[in-house]
Amino acid sequence: MLPEKTSLINIVHDLISQLERQSQTVQDLIQESTINSKQQQRTEANLAASEKKLQEMRQSLDNAQREIESFKVDIKDVKVKFESDVKSLKNQKVKLEQQLKISEHRVKAKETLLERLQNKLQQQIDKEEFSKSRNQDVFRKIQQREPRKTSPSDLKSIELIGMYENERSHLNDEIAQLRNQVQELCSEVREKENIISRASGGGINIKDHDSLLHRLEQARFEQEQVTKQLRLQERSIHEKMKNIEAELQQSKQVIQELREENSNLHLEVEARPTIRDYKATQRRALLLERQLSSQTLAMKEANNIEELRKYIGTAELIRRDKTNAKLQLNRLNTLPKDTCVEIIQDICRQLELTDITLIGPSVAKMISVVQAIPRLEKFVRDVCTIAASKPASSLESVLHTLSRWKQNIGNLNTLQKYAADSFQILASRREKSFQPVESATVYSQALKAIKELVEFESQFLEEQNMYQLAAENVQKQPNLLVNRMVQHFRQLFGVKTMDGVFPKINEVFLFVNEMNNALASIKTTLGLAQDVSVSNALIALKDHLETVRPRPMPRQTENYVVAKNEEVAGLAQVRQNHMILKELKHVLGAQTFEELVPRAQRLMELLSISIQNTTN
């Protein structure tokens, strides 16, 4: 019996649903297994990382322990060194104290010696005062008046009295010593005489008396030697006293230096830290290092901003909270996380940043740059206005203009030096037409002078070229009439170059004019007509000069009586002839009257040559 179709369908549906459930459970199991495997991998990775961190921490701990041990060794070394320094300082202090005690004993001995010397000096001063008062008393007794302090004679007499009184005191001392010695010798003589009288039974031996006198003389000589030695000893004692005083001064200086050094050492020892302070600073340094390492580690392990805020200062947090409240930035907490991430990514892309912590400094830098843009725009606008030749010019043209200006400014010093040298050279011209003054017209004057010089140079070069062309033309075409005339003129007057022809022509013209004027003046002086020929005028001048020239007369006896004779000229005629000769001398350019005839002959020859040339 077959089952029904509906039941079969239901059974199939149940199987399908069961299979789907099984497949769903299988998928869930697979997903769970994958999730578990991922979690296991993560845990294994975390475990490996933690083990690695633990190993690193152990290594850092070992390094820290080694550093601590090295620090302990260093501390021990420092302690040993400090203790050795303290011991050495103590030893130095003990030595200095001993030296100080020794120097104090020396100072005390020197002080006692100084007291003795002061007493002796006081005694000497008292002695001098006594001698001075004694001298004044003697002066009063002798002069019956008080000595005047300003009188040199009184002072001199007081000095003489003092000398005599000193000599008298010395003599009195010597007399007293001699008396004592004589008394001693007399007592010795008496003793000797008594001994001799007792020994000889009352008789006196002359030889013993002489020997006794000899002994007395020898004793006196020995006494004098002893006094000399005592004086020498006194001098040596004075020198020793001076040396002792110098040593005392040196010892005082040494004591002062030692005291200063001791005080400096005390100050240095007091300034050094104690062992307790050193240990406290070491502990403080270790504590700060630990805090720094813990802070850096905590900042690295922080996952959000709230954890980072723990390590920011209170003042900075307050300032940030005030700014957030002012700008109402607390509303950003309501934004979705994806939106915030997208905004931050966009900002990082725009700023080309890989670290989000650099967003704040970058934005602050951009704000400072943007704030400086208006000033920069104004500066660029002003520069473009000054440098641009056209109103609408590009920045590239302005840069080109500025670079050109920079080059021109670089050449400005050389141009100024060139202008100053040019002004100096122009001012050194013979013609003082250019005067360099501090005004705006100096450049126009300089340009005018340079223009004149250029024109003169061009004119001079043109003339040189013209003369050169003329010389070349004469050489190329010597048979031409004009060229023959030029060559003949140069040969006659000795002109070597072509540019000397015109000056020579001017010179000849002036000379001919002067000769014509001279001939006219000669004709006028001799009373000749102006149409008289040159030869006739020269003949008349020659005749006149021969008549005027004095003839040699035979030597006769002196006769002061003038007889009437037609050949003897009167005073008026002599004066007239003298004036004529003086005028001829001036016209012909002669220095003396003897030069008139040769110059006139030369003039006649020149005139004859000129007449022949004109007739030809």
Side-chain angles (χ1 to χ4, degrees):
M1 185 176 177
L2 294 171
E4 292 180 358
K5 187 177 181 179
T6 57
S7 61
L8 290 171
I9 291 168
N10 291 326
I11 291 166
V12 170
H13 280 293
D14 292 335
L15 290 171
I16 290 168
S17 62
Q18 288 178 2
L19 290 172
E20 288 178 354
R21 288 173 186 171
Q22 288 178 359
S23 63
Q24 185 68 32
T25 54
V26 168
Q27 289 178 359
D28 292 336
L29 290 171
I30 290 167
Q31 288 179 358
E32 288 178 358
S33 64
T34 54
I35 290 167
N36 290 326
S37 63
K38 288 180 180 179
Q39 288 180 355
Q40 188 176 1
Q41 289 177 359
R42 288 177 184 175
T43 53
E44 288 177 355
N46 292 327
L47 183 62
S50 61
E51 288 178 355
K52 189 175 181 181
K53 286 182 180 179
L54 183 61
Q55 189 175 1
E56 290 177 355
M57 292 293 290
R58 286 176 181 174
Q59 290 179 358
S60 62
L61 182 61
D62 294 334
N63 294 327
Q65 287 179 356
R66 285 195 293 272
E67 289 178 356
I68 289 166
E69 290 177 357
S70 64
F71 284 143
K72 287 180 180 179
V73 173
D74 293 336
I75 289 167
K76 288 180 181 179
D77 295 335
V78 170
K79 285 181 180 178
V80 172
K81 188 176 180 181
F82 183 73
E83 289 176 356
S84 64
D85 291 337
V86 170
K87 287 180 182 179
S88 63
L89 289 172
K90 286 181 179 179
N91 293 326
Q92 290 179 2
K93 183 180 178 183
V94 171
K95 290 180 181 178
L96 289 172
E97 287 177 352
Q98 291 177 358
Q99 291 178 0
L100 184 62
K101 288 180 181 179
I102 293 167
S103 59
E104 285 178 354
H105 289 301
R106 289 180 180 175
V107 169
K108 287 180 181 178
K110 297 293 176 65
E111 285 178 354
T112 54
L113 186 60
L114 284 173
E115 288 178 357
R116 291 177 186 174
L117 292 173
Q118 286 177 358
N119 293 326
K120 286 185 179 180
L121 184 62
Q122 188 65 34
Q123 291 176 1
Q124 188 70 23
I125 291 167
D126 295 337
K127 189 175 180 180
E128 288 180 357
E129 289 180 353
F130 176 73
S131 64
K132 190 182 291 185
S133 61
R134 185 185 60 191
N135 295 333
Q136 290 178 359
D137 293 336
V138 172
F139 183 82
R140 290 192 197 95
K141 289 179 182 179
I142 295 170
Q143 300 290 337
Q144 297 296 325
R145 63 181 178 83
E146 292 290 334
R148 294 188 294 271
K149 294 181 180 180
T150 57
S151 178
S153 60
D154 293 346
L155 295 174
K156 189 174 182 181
S157 59
I158 288 170
E159 289 178 358
L160 292 172
I161 290 166
M163 291 171 62
Y164 286 123
E165 289 294 330
N166 291 327
E167 290 292 332
R168 191 178 71 175
S169 62
H170 288 305
L171 291 173
N172 289 328
D173 294 335
E174 289 180 359
I175 289 166
Q177 290 178 2
L178 291 172
R179 283 177 181 175
N180 293 326
Q181 291 177 3
V182 168
Q183 287 177 2
E184 291 176 357
L185 291 171
C186 288
S187 62
E188 289 179 359
V189 167
R190 282 194 296 271
E191 289 177 357
K192 297 291 183 180
E193 286 178 353
N194 291 327
I195 292 167
I196 291 167
S197 62
R198 289 193 195 101
S200 61
I204 298 171
N205 194 359
I206 297 171
K207 293 181 179 180
D208 294 335
H209 184 70
D210 293 334
S211 63
L212 182 61
L213 291 174
H214 181 69
R215 288 176 185 174
L216 290 173
E217 188 68 25
Q218 190 175 2
R220 187 179 65 78
F221 181 74
E222 290 176 355
Q223 191 70 25
E224 289 178 356
Q225 293 293 328
V226 169
T227 53
K228 287 181 181 179
Q229 290 178 0
L230 289 173
R231 288 175 183 174
L232 292 173
Q233 288 179 0
E234 187 177 0
R235 290 177 184 174
S236 64
I237 288 167
H238 281 296
E239 291 178 356
K240 288 180 181 179
M241 291 292 290
K242 290 180 181 179
N243 295 327
I244 289 167
E245 288 178 356
E247 290 179 358
L248 180 61
Q249 293 292 332
Q250 292 179 359
S251 61
K252 285 182 179 180
Q253 291 179 359
V254 171
I255 289 165
Q256 186 67 26
E257 291 176 357
L258 291 173
R259 285 178 180 174
E260 291 177 356
E261 188 176 359
N262 192 9
S263 61
N264 293 328
L265 290 172
H266 279 295
L267 292 172
E268 187 177 357
V269 170
E270 290 175 358
R272 287 185 179 181
T274 60
I275 297 172
R276 184 179 296 173
D277 295 335
Y278 181 74
K279 289 181 178 179
T281 52
Q282 290 292 325
R283 287 195 296 272
R284 180 67 176 168
L286 290 172
L287 181 61
L288 291 173
E289 287 178 357
R290 289 174 184 173
Q291 289 179 359
L292 180 62
S293 62
S294 62
Q295 292 286 338
T296 52
L297 183 62
M299 289 180 69
K300 288 180 180 178
E301 293 179 354
N303 295 322
N304 52 16
I305 297 173
E306 295 297 330
E307 292 181 357
L308 287 173
R309 287 173 66 88
K310 296 178 182 179
Y311 306 103
I312 300 174
T314 307
E316 182 67 21
L317 290 173
I318 292 169
R319 188 180 65 79
R320 289 188 178 186
D321 292 337
K322 285 182 179 180
T323 307
N324 292 334
K326 183 179 178 181
L327 300 175
Q328 296 180 1
L329 298 177
N330 295 322
R331 296 177 300 173
L332 299 176
N333 295 326
T334 60
L335 291 175
K337 184 178 179 181
D338 297 335
T339 306
C340 293
V341 170
E342 185 65 28
I343 291 168
I344 291 170
Q345 288 178 354
D346 191 10
I347 292 169
C348 291
R349 283 194 299 271
Q350 293 294 330
L351 298 177
E352 295 181 357
L353 298 175
T354 58
D355 190 0
I356 61 172
T357 57
L358 299 176
I359 293 173
S362 300
V363 173
K365 191 183 293 183
M366 288 177 64
I367 290 168
S368 62
V369 171
V370 170
Q371 288 176 355
I373 284 174
R375 292 177 60 195
L376 185 61
E377 287 180 350
K378 185 177 181 300
F379 176 74
V380 172
R381 195 182 305 113
D382 295 338
V383 171
C384 292
T385 304
I386 294 169
S389 59
K390 297 180 181 179
S393 299
S394 61
L395 293 176
E396 288 77 7
S397 62
V398 173
L399 291 174
H400 181 67
T401 304
L402 291 175
S403 63
R404 189 174 67 252
W405 286 3
K406 185 178 179 181
Q407 292 177 359
N408 294 333
I409 289 169
N411 298 326
L412 182 61
N413 294 325
T414 56
L415 292 174
Q416 288 178 351
K417 187 176 182 302
Y418 172 73
D421 295 338
S422 301
F423 294 161
Q424 188 176 2
I425 292 168
L426 291 173
S428 63
R429 295 174 65 195
R430 291 184 179 179
E431 297 180 359
K432 299 297 181 180
S433 60
F434 177 77
Q435 297 293 332
V437 294
E438 296 294 334
S439 62
T441 59
V442 64
Y443 295 102
S444 61
Q445 292 180 4
L447 290 174
K448 184 178 179 182
I450 292 169
K451 186 177 180 181
E452 291 176 356
L453 291 172
V454 170
E455 290 177 354
F456 177 75
E457 184 182 6
S458 61
Q459 185 178 0
F460 179 76
L461 291 174
E462 287 177 359
E463 290 179 356
Q464 290 290 328
N465 293 327
M466 182 179 66
Y467 289 133
Q468 189 174 2
L469 291 173
E472 291 177 356
N473 191 12
V474 169
Q475 290 179 359
K476 289 179 181 179
Q477 298 177 359
N479 296 322
L480 195 63
L481 180 60
V482 178
N483 296 336
R484 288 175 63 188
M485 291 171 66
V486 171
Q487 288 292 99
H488 184 67
F489 181 81
R490 288 176 61 186
Q491 188 174 2
L492 284 176
F493 293 98
V495 181
K496 295 181 180 180
T497 58
M498 189 64 71
D499 54 353
V501 173
F502 285 107
K504 197 66 178 178
I505 291 170
N506 294 328
E507 184 180 353
V508 170
F509 176 75
L510 292 174
F511 182 75
V512 170
N513 285 332
E514 288 178 356
M515 292 299 104
N516 290 328
N517 293 329
L519 186 60
S521 62
I522 289 169
K523 289 178 181 180
T524 305
T525 304
L526 296 176
L528 299 175
Q530 293 295 328
D531 55 353
V532 176
S533 64
V534 177
S535 58
N536 293 328
L538 291 174
I539 291 168
L541 178 62
K542 185 177 180 182
D543 295 337
H544 182 72
L545 290 174
E546 287 178 355
T547 57
V548 172
R549 183 183 298 173
R551 295 179 181 178
M553 298 295 291
R555 189 173 182 82
Q556 296 178 358
T557 59
E558 294 181 358
N559 187 7
Y560 296 98
V561 179
V562 179
K564 283 187 176 182
N565 193 355
E566 294 180 357
E567 294 180 357
V568 178
L571 183 60
Q573 190 176 1
V574 171
R575 186 177 295 172
Q576 185 179 2
N577 293 331
H578 180 72
M579 293 299 293
I580 293 168
L581 291 173
K582 191 174 181 180
E583 189 174 356
L584 283 171
K585 181 181 175 183
H586 177 69
V587 171
L588 296 175
Q591 299 293 330
T592 59
F593 290 107
E594 286 78 6
E595 294 179 1
L596 290 174
V597 176
R599 285 182 177 272
Q601 291 176 357
R602 176 64 178 166
L603 180 61
M604 289 171 65
E605 291 176 358
L606 291 172
L607 289 173
S608 62
I609 291 168
S610 63
I611 290 166
Q612 289 177 3
N613 290 328
T614 53
T615 54
N616 293 327

